[in-house]
Amino acid sequence: QVQLVESGGGLVQAGGSLRLSCAASERTFRNYAMGWFRQAPGKEREFVAAIRWTGTTAYADSLKGRFTISRDNAKNTVHLQMNSLKPEDTAVYYCALNYGAGLSSIKDYDHWGQGTQVTVSS
């Protein structure tokens, strides 16, 4: 049973940067995808970014250019570099794993981490 553990969240001022990491407890197979979602208070969980085993990436249109997703297959780890952070980026960020379904929908993912809090102050 794979487990996902997020790290790197915290408090940052607007305009600052954070780098989130998600480590999988076990090796993943080919054709997997890992994604980041976020959920702000009172809001539904929304897609942030995803990356396939091959390196192909996808981003929410509103975030592309500020956020960059990457992965290290050997370490079973995915990263989310977040730059130019805004207060509206404040949310719990979740890492998730799927095995070949769509990238941007919650229902496509099979495993989820517990989330890491990102707070951006103005």
PDB file of all heavy atoms in Angstrom, residues 85-118:
ATOM      1  N   LEU A  85       4.293  33.915  -5.044  1.00  0.00           N
ATOM      2  CA  LEU A  85       3.098  33.476  -4.331  1.00  0.00           C
ATOM      3  C   LEU A  85       2.200  34.647  -3.965  1.00  0.00           C
ATOM      4  O   LEU A  85       2.671  35.744  -3.659  1.00  0.00           O
ATOM      5  CB  LEU A  85       3.495  32.697  -3.082  1.00  0.00           C
ATOM      6  CG  LEU A  85       3.982  31.275  -3.368  1.00  0.00           C
ATOM      7  CD1 LEU A  85       4.722  30.708  -2.172  1.00  0.00           C
ATOM      8  CD2 LEU A  85       2.806  30.380  -3.746  1.00  0.00           C
ATOM      9  N   LYS A  86       0.917  34.376  -3.999  1.00  0.00           N
ATOM     10  CA  LYS A  86      -0.112  35.356  -3.692  1.00  0.00           C
ATOM     11  C   LYS A  86      -0.949  34.869  -2.518  1.00  0.00           C
ATOM     12  O   LYS A  86      -1.040  33.669  -2.276  1.00  0.00           O
ATOM     13  CB  LYS A  86      -1.021  35.565  -4.906  1.00  0.00           C
ATOM     14  CG  LYS A  86      -0.294  35.943  -6.179  1.00  0.00           C
ATOM     15  CD  LYS A  86      -1.254  35.979  -7.357  1.00  0.00           C
ATOM     16  CE  LYS A  86      -0.539  36.327  -8.648  1.00  0.00           C
ATOM     17  NZ  LYS A  86      -1.481  36.339  -9.806  1.00  0.00           N
ATOM     18  N   PRO A  87      -1.578  35.783  -1.800  1.00  0.00           N
ATOM     19  CA  PRO A  87      -2.436  35.351  -0.689  1.00  0.00           C
ATOM     20  C   PRO A  87      -3.493  34.339  -1.110  1.00  0.00           C
ATOM     21  O   PRO A  87      -3.827  33.445  -0.321  1.00  0.00           O
ATOM     22  CB  PRO A  87      -3.070  36.662  -0.214  1.00  0.00           C
ATOM     23  CG  PRO A  87      -2.037  37.695  -0.528  1.00  0.00           C
ATOM     24  CD  PRO A  87      -1.443  37.250  -1.840  1.00  0.00           C
ATOM     25  N   GLU A  88      -4.002  34.442  -2.324  1.00  0.00           N
ATOM     26  CA  GLU A  88      -5.008  33.505  -2.783  1.00  0.00           C
ATOM     27  C   GLU A  88      -4.467  32.104  -3.033  1.00  0.00           C
ATOM     28  O   GLU A  88      -5.232  31.179  -3.305  1.00  0.00           O
ATOM     29  CB  GLU A  88      -5.717  34.024  -4.045  1.00  0.00           C
ATOM     30  CG  GLU A  88      -4.763  34.446  -5.148  1.00  0.00           C
ATOM     31  CD  GLU A  88      -4.520  35.946  -5.164  1.00  0.00           C
ATOM     32  OE1 GLU A  88      -4.303  36.524  -4.079  1.00  0.00           O
ATOM     33  OE2 GLU A  88      -4.559  36.541  -6.257  1.00  0.00           O
ATOM     34  N   ASP A  89      -3.154  31.938  -2.958  1.00  0.00           N
ATOM     35  CA  ASP A  89      -2.552  30.614  -3.041  1.00  0.00           C
ATOM     36  C   ASP A  89      -2.622  29.870  -1.713  1.00  0.00           C
ATOM     37  O   ASP A  89      -2.265  28.687  -1.654  1.00  0.00           O
ATOM     38  CB  ASP A  89      -1.096  30.702  -3.487  1.00  0.00           C
ATOM     39  CG  ASP A  89      -0.942  31.229  -4.900  1.00  0.00           C
ATOM     40  OD1 ASP A  89      -1.751  30.836  -5.774  1.00  0.00           O
ATOM     41  OD2 ASP A  89      -0.012  32.022  -5.138  1.00  0.00           O
ATOM     42  N   THR A  90      -3.035  30.544  -0.677  1.00  0.00           N
ATOM     43  CA  THR A  90      -3.142  29.918   0.636  1.00  0.00           C
ATOM     44  C   THR A  90      -4.118  28.751   0.581  1.00  0.00           C
ATOM     45  O   THR A  90      -5.270  28.904   0.173  1.00  0.00           O
ATOM     46  CB  THR A  90      -3.596  30.933   1.685  1.00  0.00           C
ATOM     47  OG1 THR A  90      -2.589  31.942   1.837  1.00  0.00           O
ATOM     48  CG2 THR A  90      -3.827  30.262   3.031  1.00  0.00           C
ATOM     49  N   ALA A  91      -3.658  27.587   0.979  1.00  0.00           N
ATOM     50  CA  ALA A  91      -4.474  26.382   0.913  1.00  0.00           C
ATOM     51  C   ALA A  91      -3.686  25.222   1.503  1.00  0.00           C
ATOM     52  O   ALA A  91      -2.486  25.324   1.758  1.00  0.00           O
ATOM     53  CB  ALA A  91      -4.853  26.060  -0.539  1.00  0.00           C
ATOM     54  N   VAL A  92      -4.381  24.127   1.698  1.00  0.00           N
ATOM     55  CA  VAL A  92      -3.710  22.865   1.955  1.00  0.00           C
ATOM     56  C   VAL A  92      -3.412  22.237   0.610  1.00  0.00           C
ATOM     57  O   VAL A  92      -4.301  22.092  -0.228  1.00  0.00           O
ATOM     58  CB  VAL A  92      -4.570  21.924   2.815  1.00  0.00           C
ATOM     59  CG1 VAL A  92      -3.870  20.577   2.991  1.00  0.00           C
ATOM     60  CG2 VAL A  92      -4.843  22.552   4.174  1.00  0.00           C
ATOM     61  N   TYR A  93      -2.178  21.878   0.396  1.00  0.00           N
ATOM     62  CA  TYR A  93      -1.750  21.286  -0.862  1.00  0.00           C
ATOM     63  C   TYR A  93      -1.599  19.784  -0.698  1.00  0.00           C
ATOM     64  O   TYR A  93      -0.921  19.307   0.215  1.00  0.00           O
ATOM     65  CB  TYR A  93      -0.435  21.911  -1.325  1.00  0.00           C
ATOM     66  CG  TYR A  93      -0.623  23.290  -1.905  1.00  0.00           C
ATOM     67  CD1 TYR A  93      -0.956  24.361  -1.093  1.00  0.00           C
ATOM     68  CD2 TYR A  93      -0.483  23.508  -3.280  1.00  0.00           C
ATOM     69  CE1 TYR A  93      -1.158  25.624  -1.621  1.00  0.00           C
ATOM     70  CE2 TYR A  93      -0.676  24.772  -3.809  1.00  0.00           C
ATOM     71  CZ  TYR A  93      -1.014  25.825  -2.983  1.00  0.00           C
ATOM     72  OH  TYR A  93      -1.200  27.074  -3.522  1.00  0.00           O
ATOM     73  N   TYR A  94      -2.219  19.049  -1.603  1.00  0.00           N
ATOM     74  CA  TYR A  94      -2.234  17.597  -1.549  1.00  0.00           C
ATOM     75  C   TYR A  94      -1.504  17.002  -2.738  1.00  0.00           C
ATOM     76  O   TYR A  94      -1.678  17.454  -3.874  1.00  0.00           O
ATOM     77  CB  TYR A  94      -3.666  17.065  -1.562  1.00  0.00           C
ATOM     78  CG  TYR A  94      -4.498  17.465  -0.379  1.00  0.00           C
ATOM     79  CD1 TYR A  94      -5.255  18.623  -0.394  1.00  0.00           C
ATOM     80  CD2 TYR A  94      -4.531  16.668   0.765  1.00  0.00           C
ATOM     81  CE1 TYR A  94      -6.028  18.992   0.690  1.00  0.00           C
ATOM     82  CE2 TYR A  94      -5.301  17.024   1.853  1.00  0.00           C
ATOM     83  CZ  TYR A  94      -6.050  18.191   1.810  1.00  0.00           C
ATOM     84  OH  TYR A  94      -6.818  18.547   2.892  1.00  0.00           O
ATOM     85  N   CYS A  95      -0.730  16.008  -2.473  1.00  0.00           N
ATOM     86  CA  CYS A  95      -0.103  15.205  -3.504  1.00  0.00           C
ATOM     87  C   CYS A  95      -0.975  13.982  -3.771  1.00  0.00           C
ATOM     88  O   CYS A  95      -1.569  13.426  -2.849  1.00  0.00           O
ATOM     89  CB  CYS A  95       1.292  14.780  -3.041  1.00  0.00           C
ATOM     90  SG  CYS A  95       2.159  13.650  -4.135  1.00  0.00           S
ATOM     91  N   ALA A  96      -1.052  13.565  -5.023  1.00  0.00           N
ATOM     92  CA  ALA A  96      -1.882  12.425  -5.377  1.00  0.00           C
ATOM     93  C   ALA A  96      -1.239  11.623  -6.500  1.00  0.00           C
ATOM     94  O   ALA A  96      -0.444  12.145  -7.273  1.00  0.00           O
ATOM     95  CB  ALA A  96      -3.280  12.887  -5.787  1.00  0.00           C
ATOM     96  N   LEU A  97      -1.616  10.370  -6.585  1.00  0.00           N
ATOM     97  CA  LEU A  97      -1.037   9.431  -7.543  1.00  0.00           C
ATOM     98  C   LEU A  97      -2.139   8.716  -8.306  1.00  0.00           C
ATOM     99  O   LEU A  97      -3.133   8.289  -7.715  1.00  0.00           O
ATOM    100  CB  LEU A  97      -0.179   8.415  -6.789  1.00  0.00           C
ATOM    101  CG  LEU A  97       0.334   7.199  -7.554  1.00  0.00           C
ATOM    102  CD1 LEU A  97       1.349   7.614  -8.596  1.00  0.00           C
ATOM    103  CD2 LEU A  97       0.934   6.189  -6.581  1.00  0.00           C
ATOM    104  N   ASN A  98      -1.965   8.592  -9.608  1.00  0.00           N
ATOM    105  CA  ASN A  98      -2.854   7.745 -10.393  1.00  0.00           C
ATOM    106  C   ASN A  98      -2.051   6.916 -11.369  1.00  0.00           C
ATOM    107  O   ASN A  98      -0.859   7.147 -11.588  1.00  0.00           O
ATOM    108  CB  ASN A  98      -3.960   8.565 -11.084  1.00  0.00           C
ATOM    109  CG  ASN A  98      -3.504   9.309 -12.318  1.00  0.00           C
ATOM    110  OD1 ASN A  98      -2.944   8.727 -13.254  1.00  0.00           O
ATOM    111  ND2 ASN A  98      -3.786  10.606 -12.355  1.00  0.00           N
ATOM    112  N   TYR A  99      -2.731   5.968 -11.987  1.00  0.00           N
ATOM    113  CA  TYR A  99      -2.061   5.020 -12.874  1.00  0.00           C
ATOM    114  C   TYR A  99      -2.621   5.068 -14.281  1.00  0.00           C
ATOM    115  O   TYR A  99      -2.991   4.053 -14.855  1.00  0.00           O
ATOM    116  CB  TYR A  99      -2.158   3.610 -12.292  1.00  0.00           C
ATOM    117  CG  TYR A  99      -1.363   3.435 -11.040  1.00  0.00           C
ATOM    118  CD1 TYR A  99      -1.982   3.393  -9.791  1.00  0.00           C
ATOM    119  CD2 TYR A  99       0.024   3.320 -11.092  1.00  0.00           C
ATOM    120  CE1 TYR A  99      -1.240   3.240  -8.637  1.00  0.00           C
ATOM    121  CE2 TYR A  99       0.771   3.167  -9.942  1.00  0.00           C
ATOM    122  CZ  TYR A  99       0.133   3.128  -8.713  1.00  0.00           C
ATOM    123  OH  TYR A  99       0.879   2.968  -7.575  1.00  0.00           O
ATOM    124  N   GLY A 100      -2.690   6.243 -14.826  1.00  0.00           N
ATOM    125  CA  GLY A 100      -3.024   6.375 -16.232  1.00  0.00           C
ATOM    126  C   GLY A 100      -4.368   6.986 -16.543  1.00  0.00           C
ATOM    127  O   GLY A 100      -4.746   7.056 -17.706  1.00  0.00           O
ATOM    128  N   ALA A 101      -5.087   7.453 -15.544  1.00  0.00           N
ATOM    129  CA  ALA A 101      -6.338   8.140 -15.772  1.00  0.00           C
ATOM    130  C   ALA A 101      -6.068   9.585 -16.166  1.00  0.00           C
ATOM    131  O   ALA A 101      -4.927   9.990 -16.390  1.00  0.00           O
ATOM    132  CB  ALA A 101      -7.226   8.059 -14.530  1.00  0.00           C
ATOM    133  N   GLY A 102      -7.130  10.389 -16.260  1.00  0.00           N
ATOM    134  CA  GLY A 102      -6.959  11.800 -16.546  1.00  0.00           C
ATOM    135  C   GLY A 102      -6.164  12.493 -15.461  1.00  0.00           C
ATOM    136  O   GLY A 102      -5.981  11.962 -14.359  1.00  0.00           O
ATOM    137  N   LEU A 103      -5.705  13.701 -15.752  1.00  0.00           N
ATOM    138  CA  LEU A 103      -4.788  14.381 -14.846  1.00  0.00           C
ATOM    139  C   LEU A 103      -5.444  15.379 -13.917  1.00  0.00           C
ATOM    140  O   LEU A 103      -4.953  15.593 -12.810  1.00  0.00           O
ATOM    141  CB  LEU A 103      -3.704  15.103 -15.647  1.00  0.00           C
ATOM    142  CG  LEU A 103      -2.740  14.242 -16.459  1.00  0.00           C
ATOM    143  CD1 LEU A 103      -1.742  15.132 -17.181  1.00  0.00           C
ATOM    144  CD2 LEU A 103      -2.026  13.248 -15.563  1.00  0.00           C
ATOM    145  N   SER A 104      -6.505  16.012 -14.336  1.00  0.00           N
ATOM    146  CA  SER A 104      -6.982  17.196 -13.648  1.00  0.00           C
ATOM    147  C   SER A 104      -8.198  17.001 -12.754  1.00  0.00           C
ATOM    148  O   SER A 104      -8.628  17.956 -12.104  1.00  0.00           O
ATOM    149  CB  SER A 104      -7.297  18.304 -14.666  1.00  0.00           C
ATOM    150  OG  SER A 104      -8.340  17.911 -15.535  1.00  0.00           O
ATOM    151  N   SER A 105      -8.736  15.822 -12.692  1.00  0.00           N
ATOM    152  CA  SER A 105      -9.932  15.571 -11.900  1.00  0.00           C
ATOM    153  C   SER A 105      -9.594  14.754 -10.658  1.00  0.00           C
ATOM    154  O   SER A 105      -8.818  13.801 -10.722  1.00  0.00           O
ATOM    155  CB  SER A 105     -10.982  14.846 -12.732  1.00  0.00           C
ATOM    156  OG  SER A 105     -12.144  14.583 -11.966  1.00  0.00           O
ATOM    157  N   ILE A 106     -10.201  15.122  -9.551  1.00  0.00           N
ATOM    158  CA  ILE A 106      -9.982  14.403  -8.300  1.00  0.00           C
ATOM    159  C   ILE A 106     -10.269  12.922  -8.449  1.00  0.00           C
ATOM    160  O   ILE A 106      -9.540  12.081  -7.924  1.00  0.00           O
ATOM    161  CB  ILE A 106     -10.853  15.016  -7.185  1.00  0.00           C
ATOM    162  CG1 ILE A 106     -10.370  16.431  -6.862  1.00  0.00           C
ATOM    163  CG2 ILE A 106     -10.832  14.134  -5.939  1.00  0.00           C
ATOM    164  CD1 ILE A 106     -11.266  17.159  -5.883  1.00  0.00           C
ATOM    165  N   LYS A 107     -11.321  12.590  -9.186  1.00  0.00           N
ATOM    166  CA  LYS A 107     -11.734  11.202  -9.316  1.00  0.00           C
ATOM    167  C   LYS A 107     -10.741  10.347 -10.077  1.00  0.00           C
ATOM    168  O   LYS A 107     -10.833   9.123 -10.054  1.00  0.00           O
ATOM    169  CB  LYS A 107     -13.102  11.125 -10.005  1.00  0.00           C
ATOM    170  CG  LYS A 107     -13.102  11.646 -11.432  1.00  0.00           C
ATOM    171  CD  LYS A 107     -14.493  11.545 -12.034  1.00  0.00           C
ATOM    172  CE  LYS A 107     -14.561  12.170 -13.420  1.00  0.00           C
ATOM    173  NZ  LYS A 107     -13.588  11.570 -14.345  1.00  0.00           N
ATOM    174  N   ASP A 108      -9.779  10.958 -10.743  1.00  0.00           N
ATOM    175  CA  ASP A 108      -8.786  10.212 -11.506  1.00  0.00           C
ATOM    176  C   ASP A 108      -7.676   9.639 -10.638  1.00  0.00           C
ATOM    177  O   ASP A 108      -6.901   8.816 -11.112  1.00  0.00           O
ATOM    178  CB  ASP A 108      -8.154  11.103 -12.574  1.00  0.00           C
ATOM    179  CG  ASP A 108      -9.135  11.525 -13.643  1.00  0.00           C
ATOM    180  OD1 ASP A 108     -10.043  10.735 -13.967  1.00  0.00           O
ATOM    181  OD2 ASP A 108      -8.988  12.649 -14.161  1.00  0.00           O
ATOM    182  N   TYR A 109      -7.592  10.077  -9.409  1.00  0.00           N
ATOM    183  CA  TYR A 109      -6.453   9.721  -8.566  1.00  0.00           C
ATOM    184  C   TYR A 109      -6.792   8.614  -7.581  1.00  0.00           C
ATOM    185  O   TYR A 109      -7.886   8.577  -7.009  1.00  0.00           O
ATOM    186  CB  TYR A 109      -5.915  10.964  -7.855  1.00  0.00           C
ATOM    187  CG  TYR A 109      -5.192  11.855  -8.827  1.00  0.00           C
ATOM    188  CD1 TYR A 109      -5.894  12.706  -9.665  1.00  0.00           C
ATOM    189  CD2 TYR A 109      -3.805  11.802  -8.949  1.00  0.00           C
ATOM    190  CE1 TYR A 109      -5.236  13.488 -10.604  1.00  0.00           C
ATOM    191  CE2 TYR A 109      -3.147  12.587  -9.878  1.00  0.00           C
ATOM    192  CZ  TYR A 109      -3.860  13.426 -10.702  1.00  0.00           C
ATOM    193  OH  TYR A 109      -3.202  14.200 -11.629  1.00  0.00           O
ATOM    194  N   ASP A 110      -5.812   7.746  -7.367  1.00  0.00           N
ATOM    195  CA  ASP A 110      -6.011   6.539  -6.582  1.00  0.00           C
ATOM    196  C   ASP A 110      -5.494   6.641  -5.149  1.00  0.00           C
ATOM    197  O   ASP A 110      -6.006   5.962  -4.257  1.00  0.00           O
ATOM    198  CB  ASP A 110      -5.320   5.355  -7.270  1.00  0.00           C
ATOM    199  CG  ASP A 110      -5.810   5.144  -8.684  1.00  0.00           C
ATOM    200  OD1 ASP A 110      -7.004   4.833  -8.853  1.00  0.00           O
ATOM    201  OD2 ASP A 110      -4.994   5.290  -9.629  1.00  0.00           O
ATOM    202  N   HIS A 111      -4.480   7.454  -4.934  1.00  0.00           N
ATOM    203  CA  HIS A 111      -3.880   7.603  -3.616  1.00  0.00           C
ATOM    204  C   HIS A 111      -3.628   9.070  -3.331  1.00  0.00           C
ATOM    205  O   HIS A 111      -3.277   9.836  -4.232  1.00  0.00           O
ATOM    206  CB  HIS A 111      -2.563   6.824  -3.522  1.00  0.00           C
ATOM    207  CG  HIS A 111      -2.708   5.355  -3.728  1.00  0.00           C
ATOM    208  ND1 HIS A 111      -2.527   4.753  -4.952  1.00  0.00           N
ATOM    209  CD2 HIS A 111      -3.020   4.363  -2.858  1.00  0.00           C
ATOM    210  CE1 HIS A 111      -2.723   3.452  -4.838  1.00  0.00           C
ATOM    211  NE2 HIS A 111      -3.017   3.193  -3.576  1.00  0.00           N
ATOM    212  N   TRP A 112      -3.767   9.441  -2.077  1.00  0.00           N
ATOM    213  CA  TRP A 112      -3.612  10.817  -1.650  1.00  0.00           C
ATOM    214  C   TRP A 112      -2.747  10.922  -0.408  1.00  0.00           C
ATOM    215  O   TRP A 112      -2.794  10.058   0.467  1.00  0.00           O
ATOM    216  CB  TRP A 112      -4.975  11.450  -1.334  1.00  0.00           C
ATOM    217  CG  TRP A 112      -5.850  11.591  -2.529  1.00  0.00           C
ATOM    218  CD1 TRP A 112      -6.633  10.636  -3.106  1.00  0.00           C
ATOM    219  CD2 TRP A 112      -6.032  12.780  -3.301  1.00  0.00           C
ATOM    220  NE1 TRP A 112      -7.294  11.155  -4.189  1.00  0.00           N
ATOM    221  CE2 TRP A 112      -6.945  12.463  -4.331  1.00  0.00           C
ATOM    222  CE3 TRP A 112      -5.514  14.079  -3.214  1.00  0.00           C
ATOM    223  CZ2 TRP A 112      -7.348  13.413  -5.277  1.00  0.00           C
ATOM    224  CZ3 TRP A 112      -5.908  15.015  -4.141  1.00  0.00           C
ATOM    225  CH2 TRP A 112      -6.814  14.674  -5.157  1.00  0.00           C
ATOM    226  N   GLY A 113      -1.963  11.999  -0.351  1.00  0.00           N
ATOM    227  CA  GLY A 113      -1.257  12.318   0.868  1.00  0.00           C
ATOM    228  C   GLY A 113      -2.158  13.056   1.841  1.00  0.00           C
ATOM    229  O   GLY A 113      -3.326  13.335   1.560  1.00  0.00           O
ATOM    230  N   GLN A 114      -1.608  13.393   2.983  1.00  0.00           N
ATOM    231  CA  GLN A 114      -2.374  14.068   4.024  1.00  0.00           C
ATOM    232  C   GLN A 114      -2.433  15.576   3.845  1.00  0.00           C
ATOM    233  O   GLN A 114      -3.250  16.243   4.482  1.00  0.00           O
ATOM    234  CB  GLN A 114      -1.792  13.740   5.402  1.00  0.00           C
ATOM    235  CG  GLN A 114      -1.931  12.276   5.790  1.00  0.00           C
ATOM    236  CD  GLN A 114      -3.376  11.848   5.865  1.00  0.00           C
ATOM    237  OE1 GLN A 114      -4.182  12.471   6.570  1.00  0.00           O
ATOM    238  NE2 GLN A 114      -3.717  10.791   5.130  1.00  0.00           N
ATOM    239  N   GLY A 115      -1.594  16.109   2.990  1.00  0.00           N
ATOM    240  CA  GLY A 115      -1.599  17.525   2.717  1.00  0.00           C
ATOM    241  C   GLY A 115      -0.579  18.295   3.526  1.00  0.00           C
ATOM    242  O   GLY A 115      -0.167  17.878   4.607  1.00  0.00           O
ATOM    243  N   THR A 116      -0.164  19.429   2.991  1.00  0.00           N
ATOM    244  CA  THR A 116       0.729  20.334   3.686  1.00  0.00           C
ATOM    245  C   THR A 116       0.196  21.751   3.535  1.00  0.00           C
ATOM    246  O   THR A 116      -0.239  22.158   2.462  1.00  0.00           O
ATOM    247  CB  THR A 116       2.175  20.215   3.148  1.00  0.00           C
ATOM    248  OG1 THR A 116       3.054  21.034   3.921  1.00  0.00           O
ATOM    249  CG2 THR A 116       2.267  20.623   1.689  1.00  0.00           C
ATOM    250  N   GLN A 117       0.203  22.490   4.625  1.00  0.00           N
ATOM    251  CA  GLN A 117      -0.380  23.823   4.639  1.00  0.00           C
ATOM    252  C   GLN A 117       0.583  24.840   4.037  1.00  0.00           C
ATOM    253  O   GLN A 117       1.753  24.902   4.408  1.00  0.00           O
ATOM    254  CB  GLN A 117      -0.726  24.237   6.070  1.00  0.00           C
ATOM    255  CG  GLN A 117      -1.274  25.657   6.206  1.00  0.00           C
ATOM    256  CD  GLN A 117      -2.661  25.799   5.629  1.00  0.00           C
ATOM    257  OE1 GLN A 117      -3.536  24.983   5.922  1.00  0.00           O
ATOM    258  NE2 GLN A 117      -2.864  26.825   4.802  1.00  0.00           N
ATOM    259  N   VAL A 118       0.062  25.636   3.123  1.00  0.00           N
ATOM    260  CA  VAL A 118       0.784  26.771   2.569  1.00  0.00           C
ATOM    261  C   VAL A 118      -0.007  28.024   2.904  1.00  0.00           C
ATOM    262  O   VAL A 118      -1.185  28.128   2.558  1.00  0.00           O
ATOM    263  CB  VAL A 118       0.967  26.653   1.053  1.00  0.00           C
ATOM    264  CG1 VAL A 118       1.537  27.946   0.465  1.00  0.00           C
ATOM    265  CG2 VAL A 118       1.874  25.479   0.718  1.00  0.00           C
TER     266      VAL A 118
END
